[in-house]
Amino acid sequence: MKKVEMNPYMLIKGRISEILNLTPDVKLFKVRIDGIKDYLPGQFFMVSLWGAGEVPISVTSLPSDVLEFCIKKVGRVTGEIHNLEVGQYIYIRGPYGNGFPTDIANKRGILMIAGGIGISPLRPLIEWLIKYPKGRQIIFFYGSKTPKEILFLDDIERWRRNGIGVHLTVDMADKKWNGPVGLVTELLKSVNLNFEDAISYICGPPVMIKATVKELLSFSMPEERIVTTLEAHMKCGIGKCGHCYEGSKYICIDGPIFTYKEIVDYALSL
Amino acid sequence: MKPTELILYKDHLSYWLRQLRKERELIGPLRGEETDIVFKSVENIHDIVLDLPAILPTVKEFLFPQYEPMFKYLMTDEVVDLRDNTKRVIFGVRSCDVTALTLLDKFFLDGYKDPFYEERRNETVLISIVCGRPEPECFCAGLNTGPYLEKGFDVQLTDLGDRFFVQVGSPKGHSAVMRFSFLFRKPYKADYEDQYEVFLSSKATSQKRISLEGARQLILSGKVKDDFWRMISDKCFECGGCVYQCPLCTCFTVTDRVFGDIIERVRLWDACLFKGFTRLAGGILPNEERYLRTKRWFYHKLIYYPDALNGFGCVGCGRCTIACPTKIDMASVITRLKVTAGSEG
């Protein structure tokens, strides 16, 4: 019989070892899986349930036997994933995409700016930077709609203890909240940093990314050191289905991480 | 490598095809119930239409079908890879389609290999026929994507009346011909002369001159404003006809179909002209305005395709000209683009 070659669309089965309910519509799935060991912060996987379909989801853990996916219930597939329980199976393929560039971060001040579930791809990058500190100044800005929707609060406290400057803000405060209220871009103004020599990693909803980039440019941060993620509809993850191309770039294989300079040069839309 | 050249008398054609059909599914142009000619599995070899118009349906369907099952998932948690490895021979393919497939090879097989396309492509032999009489909608000659091909084909036939001039251009083609070499003879001088005459007459037949490069340069020069694309897209019904007829449109969607205990993951042709094509989680529509989608289709063919694959996303087959009910097909739009942008420049 003819040998059937590897099929890149074929899924690998993983067992859900733990589910954390982070907010009413965001869950963290820990998936025990064999055979996927190497991936980078910023890369994504196609996560799938048979009968529902596939969705691209950023990995939110550093490489280990357990992959972590932070999934917000926004549609049909993510809705069905949310119905899964510990011990059940989930199917994935990947990793895909380019991941965050870390070589340009050497010895520079680092700004991490997240909005909402945009913290998810930044989380492994922060963990990576803590693991390999190299004496960098790291500041983390995080905007959420409400205090209840702040994800990974335990991790954030640990990051704070590890010397990361943490600045949280919310759109709408509750009784217990005594931190700032407003957009994450407002927080940037208060920080004491040489923006011209720093690097920034941004992830969040498009409107937040746009506002943040504008702010950073006004502080003279060079375009090639503003790094962000782009979001797109995807069906394949490997540059074939055609849904995510912008110009001659495919978000799935050339991205999803781009510097602002690349976004301008390739005429990508933020 | 110069293609091997031979002569096949038409008397021997059905015998040859019958031999090929013993090993492969034979696909050929057949007259449908109405008058349309369609590519279908051939049951009776004598039903194959030989007096073919230049514009036939694309054979893309057999390499990248409109509906392609990818996997079958059984409740026992078993997954079956449904790659189609049927051996096929397609007779009567148009040169423009052969050229298109050489570009699709780059698209589907460079970088990540698409195994569904790869398997079908490996198992398919193409027997193409040079168009002696291009249709008014065709513009392959100016693009060098037809009607005569120098390379890229498996077997290329030129109709010389009672016989075919046969060119063998690939190992697959070689096997399909040489195992039945007793049916073919070497060409004589007269055959070459006849072939040359057909070659000349196909060139002489006035084809439209559509310059994709000219259009590309106009767009890149920035002279084509969004107003132009708005004007074009105002006429678009979003029927998807151009996309489905185009031998170089490859966008697809993937969906799961549940049949009792069996789940089938299938891929289906999709079209960038549809509003939901780029829909994001949460219902955001990046290309909600129609002109952005129309523009994207033309940019893909004229700008991005050459950037990525070193060839235009159009082979001048003229199918979109026939398919489009409002004349915003490739040829018409380029003609208009030159009038609009050219006058400003």
Side-chain angles (χ1 to χ4, degrees):
Chain A
M1 210 185 100
K2 204 181 148 188
K3 189 175 151 274
V4 176
E5 278 184 47
M6 227 279 287
N7 189 329
Y9 298 101
M10 183 66 94
L11 296 152
I12 299 175
K13 183 164 82 171
R15 191 178 157 277
I16 298 174
S17 60
E18 198 180 344
I19 300 174
L20 300 178
N21 295 312
L22 301 183
T23 75
D25 62 356
V26 179
K27 289 185 182 185
L28 181 73
F29 292 84
K30 299 191 179 182
V31 182
R32 187 165 286 279
I33 206 153
D34 289 328
I36 299 178
K37 292 271 185 271
D38 291 324
Y39 48 88
L40 301 167
Q43 284 194 300
F44 67 94
F45 287 83
M46 295 303 282
V47 177
S48 177
L49 277 185
W50 290 98
E54 299 183 322
V55 281
I57 304 283
S58 298
V59 63
T60 188
S61 54
L62 284 175
S64 82
D65 293 342
V66 177
L67 276 91
E68 297 181 10
F69 297 105
C70 181
I71 300 177
K72 186 174 183 178
K73 191 172 162 181
V74 285
R76 203 170 58 88
V77 181
T78 50
E80 294 209 22
I81 291 173
H82 265 237
N83 292 334
L84 292 173
E85 290 170 13
V86 170
Q88 288 188 298
Y89 293 110
I90 195 163
Y91 300 81
I92 68 169
R93 55 187 177 90
Y96 297 124
N98 54 357
F100 287 108
T102 48
D103 51 330
I104 46 176
N106 271 344
K107 289 185 181 151
R108 293 181 196 279
I110 297 172
L111 294 177
M112 298 276 178
I113 308 158
I117 197 166
I119 189 176
S120 174
L122 291 177
R123 182 173 172 247
L125 181 59
I126 295 172
E127 297 289 1
W128 184 85
L129 289 166
I130 289 174
K131 216 169 155 182
Y132 305 101
K134 295 186 184 173
R136 292 174 276 220
Q137 183 193 2
I138 304 168
I139 310 171
F140 174 61
F141 298 92
Y142 184 24
S144 308
K145 274 189 188 146
T146 64
K148 282 200 178 74
E149 284 168 87
I150 299 174
L151 305 172
F152 301 114
L153 207 48
D154 294 347
D155 291 328
I156 293 170
E157 285 311 318
R158 181 165 48 79
W159 297 343
R160 207 195 290 268
R161 289 197 300 274
N162 276 284
I164 292 181
V166 173
H167 299 263
L168 306 180
T169 180
V170 296
D171 291 347
M172 267 179 302
D174 60 13
K175 283 175 199 155
K176 285 187 228 158
W177 182 254
N178 53 16
V181 176
L183 298 175
V184 79
T185 44
E186 290 302 311
L187 294 182
L188 291 173
K189 293 183 176 122
S190 62
V191 68
N192 181 20
L193 184 85
N194 179 8
F195 284 91
E196 284 171 50
D197 193 43
I199 177 170
S200 61
Y201 297 98
I202 313 164
C203 188
V207 53
M208 167 264 181
I209 296 178
K210 268 183 230 176
T212 307
V213 168
K214 201 175 155 197
E215 197 74 10
L216 293 173
L217 290 172
S218 77
F219 297 149
S220 308
M221 184 173 273
E223 289 181 346
E224 63 272 19
R225 272 192 262 116
I226 300 176
V227 182
T228 187
T229 58
L230 295 185
E231 195 186 342
H233 184 116
M234 288 174 196
K235 284 292 181 185
C236 73
I238 58 173
K240 307 297 179 199
C241 78
H243 286 79
C244 76
Y245 80 80
E246 275 225 47
S248 32
K249 297 290 161 194
Y250 285 81
I251 307 294
C252 65
I253 49 179
D254 300 310
I257 316 293
F258 293 94
T259 65
Y260 185 67
K261 183 168 189 328
E262 289 169 326
I263 290 172
V264 172
D265 288 351
Y266 306 143
L268 306 178
S269 46
L270 252 183
Chain B
M1 189 189 86
K2 197 172 183 293
T4 307
E5 294 172 335
L6 295 163
I7 294 296
L8 174 72
Y9 280 94
K10 285 188 177 171
D11 294 351
H12 294 153
L13 176 67
S14 56
Y15 182 83
W16 179 43
L17 294 180
R18 202 169 293 120
Q19 299 311 308
L20 292 175
R21 194 174 57 176
K22 285 179 182 166
E23 304 157 355
R24 298 172 175 273
E25 182 187 13
L26 172 64
I27 308 292
L30 305 177
R31 206 167 285 285
E33 281 173 20
E34 304 294 322
T35 52
D36 285 356
I37 294 171
V38 286
F39 278 96
K40 280 209 287 205
S41 194
V42 177
E43 282 174 25
N44 183 347
I45 286 178
H46 296 284
D47 287 345
I48 293 177
V49 182
L50 285 179
D51 183 24
L52 292 167
I55 299 183
L56 295 170
T58 164
V59 295
K60 174 172 85 171
E61 173 72 31
F62 297 95
L63 285 309
F64 170 64
Q66 180 157 15
Y67 180 101
E68 174 149 57
M70 302 170 80
F71 299 105
K72 190 160 69 178
Y73 176 81
L74 311 169
M75 288 304 155
T76 51
D77 205 32
E78 194 186 337
V79 179
V80 185
D81 186 327
L82 298 178
R83 257 180 275 188
D84 185 333
N85 61 359
T86 310
K87 289 181 184 303
R88 292 188 178 86
V89 54
I90 312 182
F91 176 84
V93 181
R94 282 312 184 201
S95 304
C96 50
D97 274 2
V98 174
T99 307
L101 284 172
T102 59
L103 273 168
L104 290 194
D105 289 347
K106 282 195 205 172
F107 175 73
F108 277 121
L109 305 178
D110 284 1
Y112 284 99
K113 273 192 167 72
D114 185 284
F116 299 95
Y117 175 86
E118 185 182 32
E119 195 88 10
R120 285 170 176 272
R121 183 75 164 115
N122 285 345
E123 300 303 337
T124 301
V125 180
L126 305 169
I127 302 175
S128 49
I129 308 181
V130 169
C131 302
R133 290 173 284 119
E135 304 278 337
E137 293 85 2
C138 299
F139 54 102
C140 65
L143 304 176
N144 278 328
T145 52
Y148 260 97
L149 296 183
E150 304 276 330
K151 56 180 186 338
F153 53 84
D154 293 325
V155 181
Q156 176 167 264
L157 306 180
T158 307
D159 194 331
L160 303 182
D162 61 337
R163 64 205 188 283
F164 287 113
F165 190 87
V166 181
Q167 291 161 293
V168 182
S170 74
K172 276 192 283 183
H174 190 265
S175 166
V177 168
M178 287 314 186
R179 280 178 306 124
F180 310 102
S181 58
F182 56 94
L183 295 172
F184 300 81
R185 69 159 168 82
K186 287 215 164 96
Y188 306 139
K189 189 160 176 279
D191 298 315
Y192 284 110
E193 284 169 2
D194 283 352
Q195 190 233 2
Y196 191 62
E197 211 141 306
V198 178
F199 170 77
L200 284 183
S201 70
S202 77
K203 286 269 180 197
T205 311
S206 73
Q207 273 203 19
K208 268 193 287 202
R209 290 282 154 177
I210 300 293
S211 169
L212 301 178
E213 185 56 38
R216 176 183 163 87
Q217 291 308 329
L218 265 183
I219 291 172
L220 291 176
S221 74
K223 284 178 192 157
V224 186
K225 306 285 187 242
D226 278 357
D227 279 352
F228 176 79
W229 300 113
R230 281 180 211 274
M231 178 184 83
I232 298 298
S233 72
D234 278 350
K235 297 181 192 294
C236 182
F237 286 130
E238 298 176 49
C239 66
C242 51
V243 169
Y244 296 150
Q245 293 287 326
C246 180
L248 285 171
C249 272
T250 54
C251 291
F252 62 84
T253 187
V254 178
T255 191
D256 284 5
R257 304 193 65 200
V258 182
F259 303 97
D261 281 354
I262 296 169
I263 295 164
E264 214 172 66
R265 181 155 291 173
V266 297
R267 71 174 176 197
L268 303 149
W269 289 352
D270 204 342
C272 57
L273 299 172
F274 300 156
K275 200 191 315 194
F277 185 75
T278 51
R279 180 170 47 223
L280 295 175
I284 300 162
L285 294 166
N287 292 320
E288 191 165 10
E289 282 189 83
R290 195 200 283 143
Y291 87 93
L292 291 170
R293 307 197 291 276
T294 309
K295 183 177 164 183
R296 178 178 156 116
W297 190 77
F298 283 97
Y299 268 57
H300 195 189
K301 307 245 168 250
L302 296 169
I303 312 289
Y304 314 143
Y305 233 113
D307 284 352
L309 299 175
N310 197 24
F312 284 100
C314 171
V315 287
C317 72
R319 292 185 182 104
C320 58
T321 305
I322 293 179
C324 184
T326 62
K327 295 208 183 334
I328 49 166
D329 54 285
M330 182 60 77
S332 309
V333 165
I334 288 183
T335 307
R336 249 194 267 186
L337 190 132
K338 284 186 178 154
V339 174
T340 311
S343 65
E344 285 173 17

